[in-house]
């Protein structure tokens, strides 16, 4: 009986996929197909949960098969991340797009990422105080206790690593290891390695132009092939969003979400406020925020459903390019944004936890000195947070341990963690793209005609 029901559910998923493919054949826009996939995934996921229940064997087996599409799509995106970052940064040098002001560009991007993370920490603090959230309001069950013990264990493993040591972690001791993505900071390390090769190329071009010309042609050939792979993968986005959303909704614990609805609401209010701040920054820079939202919708949707900033990197870079950002800046901001200054995971979340937990150890969360300390610690600790699932936990451990707060209490929101993490990841990606757009604007390298041209969207390239 169970097998038959699973087959029926898989057949329904295949019919929906065929429908999305038909929309593609009819040349319906990429954004509309992604939005349709998101809606259908929510509806199908709800249907599975209502009919069978989130803990049923039918749902477990059905989502395991459905995850072949969703999980497979995320893996394809992760597959291309390192080659894309490496070859795009190198191409920026061979085409002389970054060589004259690379220091200024890097400083602006990193500065904007950290500054917006500090602002997001302030937003998280204000929201927590406004909703009067405290950790004592949450009942600890077996899941919360187990999560707390895991966090404490991870904290013990991380203790003793100073801030200078964290900075050293960003440097590529073994670039071939980092090209495999083995470390949380691998993406930044690959950027640095590619930049070294780029500077070396500029030196060779002055002394041996023929060899430099040959190297440049090889890099251009690799770039063309890698970008073609990116295009092929991006065509799968609606199907990936459909499958990921179906699985997420079908397996969600709505009872826990309802019990902790106040915390979910407060989190999303903070995330929405920070997203509006991104739009205000773009407006002050003379860029139309509505255009940004329309063009950024597919990548933000994918980040929301997948909960992976790293997986969203190819879409992130392509979206920035569709907004008139040069290749080099798009790759730098996208890559740096994976490990530095994530507005959602490294900004809002740990700040909210710190304010919620402070009363348990006798600290007044309204104290100006404590609030200033939290913001400073959050900003500094935002270096090296991995752009994959678990990055928020890592950031929370860093911040809470630096403030001498009990890290185990960071496990209190485990039952609603996936739901909150979806919004946090989307905000991370928006922060990364905002830093790229603002940097391009400050350096005068943004192509405003491309930014304002609604025909220049991801669907035009995918």
């Amino acid at each position: 009986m169970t097998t038959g029901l699973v087959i029926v559910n898989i057949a329904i998923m295949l019919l929906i996929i065929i429908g999305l493919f038909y929309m593609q054949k009819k040349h319906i826009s990429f954004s509309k197909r992604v939005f349709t996939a998101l809606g259908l995934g929510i509806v199908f996921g709800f249907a599975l949960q209502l009919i069978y229940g989130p803990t049923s064997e039918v749902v477990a087996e059905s989502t395991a098969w459905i995850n072949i599409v969703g999980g497979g799509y995320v893996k394809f995106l992760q597959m291309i991340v390192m080659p894309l970052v490496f070859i795009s940064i190198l191409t920026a040098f061979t085409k002389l797009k970054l060589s004259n002001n690379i220091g200024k560009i890097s400083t602006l991007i990193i500065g904007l990422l950290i500054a917006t993370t500090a602002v997001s920490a302030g937003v998280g603090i204000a929201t927590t105080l406004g909703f009067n959230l405290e950790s004592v309001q949450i009942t600890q069950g077996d899941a919360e206790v187990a999560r707390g013990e895991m966090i404490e264990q991870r904290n013990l493993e991380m203790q003793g690593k100073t801030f200078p040591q964290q900075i050293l972690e960003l440097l590529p001791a073994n670039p071939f290891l980092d090209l495999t993505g083995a470390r949380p900071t691998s993406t930044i390390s690959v950027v640095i390695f590619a930049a070294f090769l780029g500077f070396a190329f500029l030196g060779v071009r002055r002394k041996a132009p023929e060899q430099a010309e040959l190297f440049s042609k090889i890099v251009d050939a690799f770039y063309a092939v890698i970008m073609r792979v990116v295009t092929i993968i991006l065509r799968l986005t609606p199907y990936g969003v459909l499958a990921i959303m179906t699985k997420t909704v079908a397996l969600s614990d709505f009872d826990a979400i309802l019990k902790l609805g106040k915390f979910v609401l407060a989190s999303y209010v903070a995330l929405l406020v920070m997203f509006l701040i991104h739009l205000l920054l773009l407006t002050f820079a003379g860029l139309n925020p509505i255009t940004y939202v329309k063009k950024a919708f597919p990548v933000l949707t994918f980040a929301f459903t997948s909960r992976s900033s790293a997986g969203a990197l190819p879409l992130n870079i392509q979206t920035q390019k569709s907004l008139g950002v040069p290749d080099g800046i798009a790759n730098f901001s996208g890559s740096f944004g994976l490990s530095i200054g994530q507005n959602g995971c490294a900004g809002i979340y740990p700040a909210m936890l710190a304010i919620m937990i402070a009363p348990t150890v006798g600290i007044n969360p309204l104290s100006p000195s404590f609030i200033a300390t939290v913001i400073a610690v959050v900003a500094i600790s935002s270096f090296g947070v991995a752009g994959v699932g678990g990055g928020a936990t890592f950031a929370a451990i860093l911040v809470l341990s630096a403030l001498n707060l009990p890290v185990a209490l960071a496990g209190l929101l485990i039952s609603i963690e996936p739901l909150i993490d979806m919004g946090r990841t989307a905000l991370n990606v928006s922060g990364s793209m905002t830093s790229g757009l603002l940097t391009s604007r400050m350096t005068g390298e943004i192509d405003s005609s491309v930014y304002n041209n609604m025909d220049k969207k991801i669907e035009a390239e995918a």
Side-chain angles (χ1 to χ4, degrees):
M1 182 66 178
T2 299
T3 303
L5 293 173
V6 170
I7 291 173
V8 170
N9 294 334
I10 294 171
I12 293 173
M13 173 58 69
L14 289 175
L15 287 174
I16 298 174
I17 289 174
I18 291 170
L20 290 172
F21 182 73
Y22 179 76
M23 291 176 69
Q24 180 179 333
K25 286 296 183 182
K26 287 293 183 179
H27 303 292
I28 294 173
S29 74
F30 184 72
S31 296
K32 289 179 180 177
R33 284 185 280 126
V34 170
F35 186 78
T36 301
L38 178 67
L40 291 173
I42 293 173
V43 172
F44 189 33
F46 266 124
L48 290 175
Q49 174 147 168
L50 289 173
I51 295 170
Y52 306 107
T55 58
S56 72
E57 187 179 343
V58 173
V59 170
E61 289 191 28
S62 299
T63 53
W65 282 100
I66 290 170
N67 192 50
I68 292 176
V69 178
Y73 174 65
V74 173
K75 283 186 177 293
F76 282 141
L77 282 167
Q78 292 171 336
M79 170 190 77
I80 203 64
V81 165
M82 291 305 177
L84 174 62
V85 170
F86 176 76
I87 202 68
S88 296
I89 296 297
L90 200 50
T91 302
F93 279 89
T94 59
K95 293 182 178 178
L96 280 177
K97 291 182 180 177
L98 283 180
S99 57
N100 296 326
N101 55 358
I102 185 170
K104 180 180 179 181
I105 287 171
S106 301
T107 302
L108 280 172
I109 290 172
I110 293 173
L112 285 166
L113 287 169
I114 295 174
T116 52
T117 300
V119 172
S120 67
V123 170
I125 290 169
T127 306
T128 306
L129 294 173
F131 278 82
N132 192 29
L133 300 181
E134 291 185 13
S135 60
V136 294
Q137 299 168 352
I138 304 173
T139 303
Q140 290 197 55
D142 293 339
E144 286 76 17
V145 172
R147 177 70 165 186
E149 292 174 351
M150 183 276 289
I151 290 174
E152 279 191 325
Q153 178 61 37
R154 189 169 179 185
N155 182 48
L156 290 173
E157 295 170 0
M158 290 166 50
Q159 280 181 349
K161 188 170 286 188
T162 64
F163 183 62
Q165 288 173 325
Q166 291 178 43
I167 293 177
L168 284 175
E169 286 291 314
L170 302 176
L171 303 179
N174 184 344
F176 299 100
L177 174 68
D178 287 319
L179 282 167
T180 67
R183 302 187 303 140
T185 57
S186 284
T187 307
I188 301 300
S189 297
V190 168
V191 170
I192 294 171
F193 177 58
F196 265 97
L197 289 179
F199 281 118
F201 163 80
L202 296 178
V204 170
R205 190 174 62 181
R206 285 193 298 269
K207 297 181 179 179
E210 288 125 4
Q211 285 90 333
E213 181 65 23
L214 175 61
F215 180 80
S216 179
K217 288 180 179 178
I218 293 172
V219 170
D220 287 345
F222 271 104
Y223 180 78
V225 173
I226 293 297
M227 292 311 298
R228 184 58 189 167
V229 173
V230 169
T231 298
I232 293 170
I233 295 173
L234 293 188
R235 286 176 176 166
L236 304 175
T237 300
Y239 313 106
V241 167
L242 167 69
I244 293 168
M245 205 66 220
T246 300
K247 178 186 175 184
T248 301
V249 174
L251 297 177
S252 292
D253 185 349
F254 288 104
D255 287 336
I257 292 170
L258 289 174
K259 288 177 185 176
L260 297 171
K262 182 180 179 182
F263 296 89
V264 175
L265 177 61
S267 296
Y268 271 90
V269 166
L271 294 168
L272 180 59
V273 169
M274 192 59 210
F275 181 66
L276 291 175
I277 290 174
H278 289 169
L279 299 184
L280 282 174
L281 290 172
L282 294 176
T283 303
F284 292 149
L287 300 172
N288 188 331
I290 297 175
T291 301
Y292 170 76
V293 172
K294 287 181 178 179
K295 289 191 175 184
F297 177 78
V299 62
L300 296 181
T301 300
F302 172 73
F304 183 84
T305 53
S306 69
R307 297 168 52 201
S308 173
S309 300
L313 182 61
L315 272 167
N316 180 333
I317 293 171
Q318 291 292 85
T319 301
Q320 289 191 60
K321 288 162 64 177
S322 77
L323 288 162
V325 177
D327 283 4
I329 293 178
N331 278 278
F332 265 60
S333 62
S335 303
F336 281 131
L338 292 185
S339 296
I340 297 174
Q342 294 188 351
N343 290 184
C345 289
I348 287 175
Y349 182 65
M352 290 184 73
L353 284 178
I355 298 300
M356 287 170 58
I357 294 170
T360 65
V361 292
I363 296 175
N364 179 11
L366 293 171
S367 167
S369 61
F370 179 70
I371 290 174
T373 302
V374 170
I375 293 175
V377 169
V378 166
I380 294 171
S381 299
S382 66
F383 276 85
V385 177
V388 293
T393 300
F394 181 73
I397 293 172
L398 288 174
V399 172
L400 295 179
S401 60
L403 295 169
N404 293 317
L405 296 174
V407 296
L409 292 180
L412 289 174
L413 300 176
I414 178 61
S415 57
I416 56 172
E417 179 78 9
L419 179 61
I420 297 174
D421 196 42
M422 295 166 80
R424 288 192 311 234
T425 307
L427 187 67
N428 293 343
V429 173
S430 178
S432 168
M433 293 193 295
T434 300
S435 71
L437 283 163
L438 294 177
T439 297
S440 299
R441 191 66 164 176
M442 291 177 189
T443 57
E445 295 191 44
I446 193 168
D447 189 333
S448 298
S449 62
V450 173
Y451 183 95
N452 294 311
N453 186 353
M454 289 307 298
D455 292 329
K456 294 287 186 180
K457 294 189 284 188
I458 293 179
E459 58 258 44
E461 300 178 52

